[in-house]
Amino acid sequence: YPNSGIAFHDPARKSGALYQYLKACADQTDDCLDESQVEVVSWDMEKDRLQENRELVVHGEKHWGSDPKQLAKYALLRYFPFLLN
C-alpha cells in the first residue's frame, strides 16, 4: 500500500483487494486482524540484532512494465477510485 499510494491497496479497507485474504487467514488461524494488536519486528542480518522502528523501512524498485492493460488498471485505481464504490 505505501508503494502504490492507492487506497484500494490499503489492507485495512474492507472493500480493498487485500482485506478479504487477510480476514480469511485471520479467521482460519484464530488470529487477530487489528493492527494495534500486532507488533512487527525485523532482524537485521548485517548488525545481528533486531531493527529499531526507524530502521523498518521497506525499499522496493518500481517496475511499470509495458502491458497496456496493467497500466490502464493502475491509472483507473489511482485517479478514479470512486468508480469502485
Side-chain angles (χ1 to χ4, degrees), residues 72-83:
K73 179 181 174 184
Y74 173 80
L76 175 71
L77 292 172
R78 180 75 170 141
Y79 299 107
F80 304 100
F82 57 86
L83 295 175

Side-chain angles (χ1 to χ4, degrees), residues 7 9 16 19 22 24 30 34-35 37-38 40-41 44 47 51 54 56-57 60-61 66 70 72 78 80 84:
H9 293 145
Y19 184 85
L22 295 173
D30 293 326
D34 180 0
E35 69 183 68
Q37 302 294 316
V38 175
V40 176
V41 294
D44 188 326
K47 297 177 182 176
Q51 292 182 331
R54 69 181 190 287
L56 293 174
V57 178
E61 294 181 19
S66 59
Q70 294 300 321
R78 180 75 170 141
F80 304 100
L84 299 172

Side-chain angles (χ1 to χ4, degrees), residues 7-53:
F8 187 71
H9 293 145
D10 181 354
R13 182 179 175 170
K14 290 185 178 182
S15 63
L18 300 174
Y19 184 85
Q20 64 180 329
Y21 300 111
L22 295 173
K23 174 93 170 88
C25 289
D27 290 345
Q28 289 179 9
T29 59
D30 293 326
D31 285 330
C32 150
L33 197 57
D34 180 0
E35 69 183 68
S36 69
Q37 302 294 316
V38 175
E39 179 183 7
V40 176
V41 294
S42 180
W43 186 261
D44 188 326
M45 302 294 272
E46 291 179 7
K47 297 177 182 176
D48 199 30
R49 65 171 175 78
L50 288 175
Q51 292 182 331
E52 297 175 9
N53 283 337

Side-chain angles (χ1 to χ4, degrees), residues 3-4 6 16 27 38 51 62 69 71 74:
N3 288 339
S4 71
I6 300 173
D27 290 345
V38 175
Q51 292 182 331
K62 288 185 181 179
K69 185 176 178 181
L71 293 171
Y74 173 80

